[in-house]
Amino acid sequence: MALVFNGSNNTIGGLAVGGLPDGTVDADMLASSVTTGKILQVQSAELTSVYERTSVTGGTYYDVLTCDIQPASSSNKILIQYHLGQVVAFGGTDKIGMQLRRGTTNIAQGDAAGSRNRYTIDVQAWDIQQASRTKNLSGFWIDSPSSTSSITYRVSFIDQNGDGKFCIGRSEDDTDDSVHARTPSQLILMEVSA
């Protein structure tokens, strides 16, 4: 069939896709054929107040954000996104790290290498140790929990020495003036179909 251009209603007639008759492919058929990588659910947790630890125990995890999700299938993955506004590690805190955890299991960390610490993000740095500088931490991770049970994901901090302090959501100097700020943090979990 020849192409027919109709300028009065801006259509083109005579087009055929795959030679199938009208009504053969409907919305249900399209939806069932496009399932891989589909976002099935989104859960989130926010922190808009200040989180502060002025005294920590060495080797103890402190949860800053937690969020629960229950996967529909054990083959699905969980896409984790996080943003922490204004993370401050004060002087004397030289072995602090941020750790993503599934329940109490550490995920998103480097391989074991001797006595080196394993974190998602190593928060301590030379500038923080000396001047308590502020850092914003953001990132993402794909996890394969292989479960259909409810799972709690955690953004946690740990100080290996236990001799420092840290806070999230405020400037290192918390003077009440227009120079200093408050910032939010968020943890987002997305179930992605296999």
Side-chain angles (χ1 to χ4, degrees), residues 62-73:
Y62 296 94
D63 296 339
V64 175
L65 286 164
T66 63
C67 189
D68 296 333
I69 192 166
Q70 185 166 357
S73 169

Side-chain angles (χ1 to χ4, degrees), residues 88-139:
V88 182
F90 292 91
T93 306
D94 61 352
K95 292 186 178 178
I96 191 170
M98 189 217 86
Q99 183 65 58
L100 284 179
R101 298 192 296 156
R102 180 193 331 112
T104 58
T105 301
N106 292 348
I107 59 174
Q109 63 182 7
D111 290 341
S115 59
R116 295 170 182 86
N117 292 312
R118 300 171 66 199
Y119 303 131
T120 302
I121 296 177
D122 186 12
V123 175
Q124 66 89 12
W126 188 251
D127 62 340
I128 286 180
Q129 290 178 40
Q130 290 199 331
S132 300
R133 304 290 175 158
T134 301
K135 289 185 173 183
N136 294 310
L137 305 179
S138 296

